[in-house]
Amino acid sequence: MKISKKVSGVEYAIRDIVSAAKDLEKQGRTIDYLNIGDPAQYGFHPPENVKQAFIDAIKKDQNYYSASEGIQELRTAIAKKENLKGLSIGADDVLVTNGVSEGLDMIMSSIVEEGDEVLLPGPYYPPYASYIRLHGGIPIEFSVDLENSTPDIADIKSKITPKTVAICLISPNNPTGAVFEEDSLKKLIDVANENNLYIICDEIYDQIVFDKKFVGIGKVAGNSPVIILNGFSKVHLMSGWRIGYIAFNSSPQLAPIREHLPKLARVRISTNHPVQYAALESLRGPQEYISEFVSELKKHRDLVVKRLNSMPGISCSNPKGAFYVFPKIENNPFKSDKEFVLNLLKSKGVLAVHGSGFGTKYGSGYFRLVFLPNMEKLNSALDKIEDFVCSYKP
Ligand SMILES: Cc1ncc(COP(=O)(O)O)c(C=O)c1O
């Protein structure tokens, strides 16, 4: 039967690679899953008050469709959170979504037409390219210096064409952990304004930073056409509950998208209603669980980076945020980074994700590991990776 060209271009390396691991499990092998960025699968759960808010909402029969834009209390609380990060917005500037994933789809479907180009940080979180392609567009990667966490502004300028519609930022970044600082964000805003481009900024890891205070795009946005994507899957540990949001900066240039995008929200009726009360509680209630989570993650990061850098043929820059490392395979005896990852899986049972799954231009030659597992599990997986790289003596 017919299948559309646009859907056949969709890939998601992080999940696509799992089938190879499942085949090995069927043969009785035990797998160390270091592929998926989901805190809840590694023992980090929402606190009791947040779970209770979900249960209470169900028991209070808040089980019907909510307003398409989300419940007002949650939109107000989200606007307050974004105000603290520097964005001057109110509840009406927020639209609650089924995760950042849905928000991204809505944005790309609203701004991308056949042949339009969207700039992405290289390497990037794969759904960005998938949704751009799905809507007929072309993802264009720009270079980022991983040691200094700085975007290459000259490279961005050289890649802007009459077809470019937006610059996407992911800060902290998945897969590299790069966090853009205020100075870089200002330069990015200037480039976008000079070229009449949207700035779409994914800040889903905004509170998971290890070395410096996080600065969001809101701090430098002024009245530029900035759209924030954020959600509750990472910082708030609510991945399986599927909730996130789009926040529009108060910019006159955003008037057309603000008129049309909510129609998409109406077409899909609403997000999960009771979960919105849990998200509200996660913003209003005690916040200590976040700092505990982040300080635990910092220990994981320090361990993983140190151990990877001590392995022959592997070098790893220090992620400034999120929960991934993106080591470079300096001397790869296999024909690609994907072959490296598949051989690591076959010989040691450790599942990583190949770097090229995050964009071939800047991701090839690397692999991504998640450092969410506890220290014992991480050490054990790192022992296996070390054995693997030593076995082929790069
Ligand atoms: C940068 C980034 N954005 C969005 C998502 C997905 O967000 P959500 O669970 O809100 O759909 C992820 C998940 O890994 C991510 O890394």
Side-chain angles (χ1 to χ4, degrees), residues 266-307:
R266 288 173 211 143
V267 170
R268 62 79 162 108
I269 303 181
S270 78
T271 50
N272 182 321
H273 190 179
V275 163
Q276 295 183 56
Y277 292 93
L280 178 61
E281 177 62 20
S282 78
L283 291 176
R284 277 189 185 162
Q287 299 293 296
E288 287 74 29
Y289 73 100
I290 301 172
S291 43
E292 283 162 18
F293 172 48
V294 176
S295 63
E296 181 61 29
L297 284 181
K298 186 172 187 300
K299 289 186 219 151
H300 296 199
R301 188 238 2 212
D302 293 345
L303 169 85
V304 172
V305 171
K306 188 165 168 228
R307 286 210 54 188

Side-chain angles (χ1 to χ4, degrees), residues 12-68:
Y12 191 40
I14 301 164
R15 284 178 174 260
D16 295 346
I17 193 91
V18 174
S19 58
K22 292 286 172 208
D23 289 345
L24 288 179
E25 263 180 350
K26 274 188 214 141
Q27 296 163 24
R29 297 273 304 274
T30 306
I31 306 297
D32 293 325
Y33 284 94
L34 268 68
N35 65 311
I36 185 105
D38 181 354
Q41 289 191 43
Y42 296 95
F44 296 102
H45 301 294
E48 286 307 312
N49 60 311
V50 174
K51 290 183 191 166
Q52 195 57 49
F54 190 3
I55 294 166
D56 289 347
I58 292 170
K59 289 197 167 156
K60 281 187 207 153
D61 291 324
Q62 268 143 345
N63 300 309
Y64 48 96
Y65 297 138
S66 77
S68 295

Side-chain angles (χ1 to χ4, degrees), residues 12 14 36-39 97-104 124-128 131 169-175 202-205 229-234 238-245 322-324 358 368:
Y12 191 40
I14 301 164
I36 185 105
D38 181 354
T97 59
N98 290 298
V100 166
S101 310
E102 188 193 41
L104 180 61
Y124 54 79
Y125 174 57
Y128 277 79
Y131 281 126
L169 312 177
I170 305 168
S171 179
N173 181 274
N174 174 5
D202 182 331
E203 296 184 351
I204 194 167
Y205 299 98
L229 281 165
N230 206 333
F232 295 83
S233 297
K234 314 291 179 180
M238 290 162 51
S239 47
W241 293 355
R242 311 304 303 127
I243 182 155
Y245 60 90
F323 33 64
Y324 312 98
F358 301 87
R368 190 194 79 168

Side-chain angles (χ1 to χ4, degrees), residues 172 179 205-215 294 298 320-322:
V179 182
Y205 299 98
D206 57 3
Q207 293 181 69
I208 309 177
V209 287
F210 306 119
D211 306 314
K212 289 186 180 166
K213 198 172 172 300
F214 174 75
V215 177
V294 176
K298 186 172 187 300
K320 317 257 178 317

